[in-house]
């Protein structure tokens, strides 16, 4: 959906009212740094601001929303990010190295909660980290890939393996994200689903790598 030559978003491309931001960049290169920058007013040039101010979770709480954070990746560690746990009303940790689709039943549970119709739901997926063991076998469409070769040397000689594995993981995320949208749409409520990756991966596009 952003012009890549491979069909890695067959499901998302069929969803109506989908808005794609194709001019996008990350503010940090690791999750523990990127997430605080995504949920606060802090920037890469002024990172300390995330320690001094509350996050967007508190902003929604003050507006009457109940907050839910569903995580399939442990992020509340290092750089003082554990302080955000105090702002969240309901925290669900699914960090058992399961594929991201395991968050869907938890999402349904949250959507079914009738305590408050106004909900802020943040889902932290494992995503596309290296494309290794993060998606079921049926999404290994592009080959050769890392799972087939068991190669883990992160260097340019294995570039094709990493690209194919990464594209397979994107294909899987296409399924997960489209399912999240479908589960939210099924509630027929006023809602919006916004997705952003926190950082990218080096796939040896630069000749110096």
């Amino acid at each position: 959906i952003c012009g890549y030559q491979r069909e890695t978003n067959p499901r998302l491309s069929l969803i109506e009212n989908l808005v794609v931001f194709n001019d996008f960049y990350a503010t940090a290169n690791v999750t523990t740094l990127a997430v605080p920058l995504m949920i606060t007013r802090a920037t890469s040039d002024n990172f300390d601001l995330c320690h001094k101010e509350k996050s967007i979770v508190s902003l929604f709480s003050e507006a009457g929303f109940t907050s839910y954070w569903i995580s399939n990746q442990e992020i509340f560690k290092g750089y003082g990010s554990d302080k955000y746990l105090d702002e969240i009303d309901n925290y669900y940790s699914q960090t058992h190295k399961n594929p991201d689709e395991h968050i869907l039943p938890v999402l349904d549970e949250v959507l079914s909660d009738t305590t408050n119709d106004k909900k802020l739901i943040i889902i932290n997926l494992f995503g596309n980290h290296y494309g290794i063991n993060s998606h079921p076998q049926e999404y290994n469409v592009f080959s050769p890939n890392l799972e087939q070769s068991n190669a883990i040397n992160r260097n340019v000689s294995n570039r094709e393996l990493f690209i194919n594995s990464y594209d397979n993981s994107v294909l899987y995320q296409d399924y997960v994200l489209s399912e999240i949208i479908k589960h939210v749409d099924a509630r027929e409520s006023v809602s919006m689903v916004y997705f952003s990756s926190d950082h990218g991966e080096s796939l040896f596009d630069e000749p110096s790598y």
Side-chain angles (χ1 to χ4, degrees), residues 2-158:
C2 288
Y4 188 48
Q5 66 269 24
R6 282 177 167 172
E7 189 180 18
T8 51
N9 301 117
R11 292 177 175 84
L12 287 174
S13 62
L14 297 177
I15 292 179
E16 297 180 359
N17 301 321
L18 187 72
V19 178
V20 179
F21 301 93
N22 54 15
D23 184 12
F24 209 80
Y25 64 91
T27 55
N29 61 345
V30 292
T31 299
T32 50
L33 289 175
V35 170
L37 296 177
M38 296 172 71
I39 62 175
T40 70
R41 297 193 305 159
T43 66
S44 54
D45 294 328
N46 187 14
F47 185 82
D48 286 342
L49 190 61
C50 71
H51 298 307
K52 300 175 182 178
E53 296 185 350
K54 295 179 181 179
S55 75
I56 194 173
V57 177
S58 289
L59 176 66
F60 272 80
S61 294
E62 291 171 10
F65 285 72
T66 298
S67 60
Y68 306 81
W69 193 300
I70 306 170
S71 181
N72 199 34
Q73 180 188 172
E74 183 54 62
I75 65 164
F76 294 117
K77 57 183 179 181
Y79 308 104
S81 59
D82 57 333
K83 79 182 190 72
Y84 301 122
L85 282 171
D86 295 332
E87 300 180 43
I88 301 166
D89 296 320
N90 303 278
Y91 178 63
Y92 303 83
S93 177
Q94 298 293 111
T95 53
H96 305 298
K97 296 184 178 180
N98 288 321
D100 280 334
E101 63 192 271
H102 282 244
I103 62 92
L104 294 173
V106 183
L107 174 61
D108 281 336
E109 178 184 338
V110 169
L111 291 171
S112 299
D113 185 357
T114 59
T115 305
N116 188 354
D117 290 336
K118 298 171 66 175
K119 297 181 176 68
L120 170 68
I121 306 170
I122 298 176
I123 302 174
N124 178 217
L125 301 172
F126 182 79
N128 309 101
H129 284 86
Y130 309 124
I132 304 174
N133 299 327
S134 57
H135 54 267
Q137 288 283 341
E138 59 263 34
Y139 292 91
N140 284 331
V141 174
F142 305 109
S143 61
N145 54 61
L146 291 167
E147 190 158 338
Q148 293 169 337
S149 67
N150 295 318
I152 58 173
N153 292 327
R154 193 166 180 81
N155 56 53
V156 71
S157 65
N158 290 323

